[in-house]
């Protein structure tokens, strides 16, 4: 289990990066969904509780959450690159 094989280490880091990215994406979408609950949807929709309005709200939450997650992940990537630049 404790091998120092570079290929194993690379695969482990790739897997951890994937788990981290998925977690950030899901948490970002959930955060945006919670924030969107504060919006007065009656001003945009005649029937804000209808399935079509809910689907649009869900799609907006996914789109905005994805954009926010990409910002976070890119920022994380840039700080990681700067760390290797300083060393």
């Amino acid at each position: 289990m404790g091998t120092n094989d570079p290929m194993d280490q690379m695969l482990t880091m790739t897997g951890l990066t994937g788990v981290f990215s998925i977690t950030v994406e899901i948490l970002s979408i959930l955060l945006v969904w919670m924030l969107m609950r504060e919006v007065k949807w009656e001003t945009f929709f005649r029937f804000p509780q209808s399935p079509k309005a809910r689907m649009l709200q869900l799609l907006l939450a996914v789109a905005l959450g994805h954009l926010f997650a990409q910002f976070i992940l890119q920022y994380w990537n840039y700080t990681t690159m700067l760390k290797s630049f300083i060393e």
Side-chain angles (χ1 to χ4, degrees):
M1 290 269 196
T3 66
N4 289 331
D5 184 21
M7 189 62 149
D8 286 343
Q9 290 177 353
M10 187 178 74
L11 290 174
T12 300
M13 286 305 296
T14 302
L16 289 174
T17 301
V19 169
F20 178 71
S21 298
I22 290 171
T23 303
V24 169
E25 287 274 350
I26 291 173
L27 291 177
S28 296
I29 291 169
L30 288 174
L31 175 68
V32 170
W33 179 259
M34 289 186 336
L35 291 174
M36 285 177 53
R37 293 176 68 191
E38 299 297 320
V39 174
K40 301 280 186 202
W41 293 107
E42 297 82 20
T43 58
F44 301 105
F45 301 112
R46 241 182 298 175
F47 305 108
Q49 301 298 324
S50 71
K52 289 179 183 179
R54 286 294 187 184
M55 181 59 74
L56 183 59
Q57 292 170 19
L58 176 66
L59 292 174
L60 281 172
V62 169
L64 293 174
H66 175 72
L67 288 173
F68 180 66
Q70 289 305 303
F71 170 77
I72 297 294
L73 291 171
Q74 284 181 354
Y75 186 82
W76 181 270
N77 189 28
Y78 295 152
T79 58
T80 304
M81 286 190 289
L82 281 176
K83 186 171 71 172
S84 65
F85 176 68
I86 292 171
E87 291 177 352

